[in-house]
Amino acid sequence: MKKAFNSRKQQLQNDALYLLWFERLHDICLSFTRWEDTPFPEEIENDVIRYLNELLFQGHVVGFGLKDGYMPVLGQAVPGSGITWFGGHDTYTITTETGDIMSAARPDLALCYPTPSHSWTLYQLAAHYAMLLTQAEQSIKVNMINQNTPAIIQAPPGQELTYSNMFEQVAGFKPVVYGREGLLDSKNSDLLAYRYLQPAVYVSDKLEMLKHDIFNDFYNALGITAKSIEKKAQLISDELNIDAMANSLTKNIFMDCRQQFCDEVNRLTGGNMTVTYNVDKMVMDNVGMTAGEFYGGDPEKELLSS
């Protein structure tokens, strides 16, 4: 019964850790782009942008239209009837966050697809990397716990300290030493079970770096050049520039769809709506995200000037 309870408790802790990582990646996915000059009133603009980013995160097609010819409406777009020769639809239905519904023909709408192929979502991306980060975090915890694995050795009376120091030089940790004769005889099976246990090899530092690499790989998947580095400033700059070129195609996957949406909105409203990346480069040291903040600024310059 106690074993089952501990197992259930551990599962709840694992689920909570996964949820923590997922929500963190979720927030990044909602914030890596900046929408400006939207056609919505200033008092609701931030709420509309949040809803827009959430729909794209979930993998929904976003639709924009002008209700009654002047009122801007944004929501999830669902195809109506009439498939066109290029695979689109003649009409779409837009459902807003408050449940309002608007139907319009394609020329009177602006559509934003999460990705060009519309075959994968940011939700799936965040879930995948949250699982990897959770596994790395769990491995670090297990490795740290196993550093305290006990070992028991028997030493002649009066030689306990000598044997303890000798054991530490070989194994790298101090054992529990007993000098009483016969303590570790075969009849004391419980103690014999601990006699040969050794702590796990310490790999938590490597796992911590692996966790940073996973985090950086997530940024790269969003088209943001990211590095975990301990190198000279010039080498940092060179590697960032190389990776930036490699990530330009990934960046275009997200920006082309969103920029086309802005162009269509501007066509309908005569406005100047734009979308840009909040940051292009991310530099992380071996402690964490201390080389620069995600929002605004230039993390590379901050690191190189420090």
Side-chain angles (χ1 to χ4, degrees):
M1 186 70 179
K2 183 177 180 180
K3 184 177 181 180
F5 172 79
N6 290 335
S7 177
R8 176 58 177 165
K9 181 180 179 181
Q10 183 62 47
Q11 183 61 49
L12 291 174
Q13 291 175 345
N14 294 342
D15 292 344
L17 180 61
Y18 170 81
L19 183 61
L20 178 66
W21 278 115
F22 178 81
E23 290 299 334
R24 184 175 180 183
L25 301 184
H26 172 221
D27 289 343
I28 292 174
C29 287
L30 298 188
S31 306
F32 77 97
T33 54
R34 181 189 294 112
W35 303 84
E36 296 179 308
D37 297 328
T38 70
F40 293 92
E42 184 177 350
E43 59 270 17
I44 65 170
E45 184 178 39
N46 289 336
D47 293 333
V48 173
I49 291 175
R50 175 197 55 77
Y51 182 52
L52 165 62
N53 287 328
E54 184 63 43
L55 287 175
L56 294 176
F57 175 79
Q58 298 288 344
H60 300 303
V61 179
V62 176
F64 172 88
L66 296 174
K67 189 175 183 179
D68 299 330
Y70 70 92
M71 183 182 298
V73 174
L74 182 141
Q76 180 181 347
V78 178
S81 59
I83 300 178
T84 63
W85 64 271
F86 52 83
H89 295 262
D90 291 329
T91 61
Y92 286 82
T93 299
I94 298 177
T95 303
T96 68
E97 190 173 16
T98 59
D100 296 333
I101 297 177
M102 170 187 170
S103 297
R106 180 63 182 92
D108 299 324
L109 292 174
L111 297 178
C112 184
Y113 293 88
T115 59
S117 64
H118 194 41
S119 60
W120 61 279
T121 67
L122 288 171
Y123 180 97
Q124 294 171 326
L125 190 72
H128 171 68
Y129 281 98
M131 178 187 66
L132 295 179
L133 288 165
T134 300
Q135 291 173 341
E137 195 82 29
Q138 290 170 332
S139 299
I140 292 173
K141 177 182 177 182
V142 170
N143 188 245
M144 293 298 294
I145 292 175
N146 287 340
Q147 299 309 301
N148 297 322
T149 301
I152 301 175
I153 64 173
Q154 183 174 344
Q159 297 295 315
E160 292 87 355
L161 183 59
T162 301
Y163 273 61
S164 176
N165 292 336
M166 181 178 62
F167 185 93
E168 183 181 14
Q169 291 178 10
V170 175
F173 71 104
K174 280 188 175 295
V176 178
V177 182
Y178 285 93
R180 183 153 50 96
E181 295 182 3
L183 183 66
L184 299 180
D185 290 344
S186 58
K187 62 180 180 180
N188 296 313
S189 58
D190 292 339
L191 290 176
L192 284 173
Y194 291 94
R195 183 174 184 177
Y196 304 105
L197 290 180
Q198 296 182 4
V201 177
Y202 183 75
V203 294
S204 293
D205 54 341
K206 297 180 178 62
L207 290 170
E208 189 67 32
M209 287 305 303
L210 174 62
K211 188 174 68 174
H212 289 184
D213 290 340
I214 293 172
F215 215 144
N216 287 344
D217 195 36
F218 170 74
Y219 279 122
N220 292 332
L222 293 179
I224 301 171
T225 304
K227 276 289 182 184
S228 289
I229 35 186
E230 275 186 339
K231 298 181 180 178
K232 294 182 179 180
Q234 185 59 46
L235 188 56
I236 293 174
S237 180
D238 292 343
E239 290 193 0
L240 282 171
N241 291 332
I242 293 173
D243 288 346
M245 290 185 289
N247 286 337
S248 61
L249 291 177
T250 303
K251 183 177 180 180
N252 291 337
I253 289 176
F254 299 104
M255 293 307 295
D256 287 350
C257 300
R258 288 156 175 75
Q259 186 57 56
Q260 181 179 351
F261 176 66
C262 289
D263 294 340
E264 293 184 2
V265 171
N266 294 335
R267 173 180 58 82
L268 295 174
T269 63
N272 190 32
M273 182 177 174
T274 60
V275 59
T276 56
Y277 263 56
N278 262 332
V279 67
D280 290 319
K281 297 178 181 178
M282 173 60 57
V283 183
M284 295 176 65
D285 63 13
N286 286 342
V287 177
M289 202 179 303
T290 57
E293 301 219 355
F294 183 78
Y295 304 101
D298 190 333
E300 181 187 9
K301 289 182 179 178
E302 293 178 22
L303 181 66
L304 299 183
S305 62
S306 60

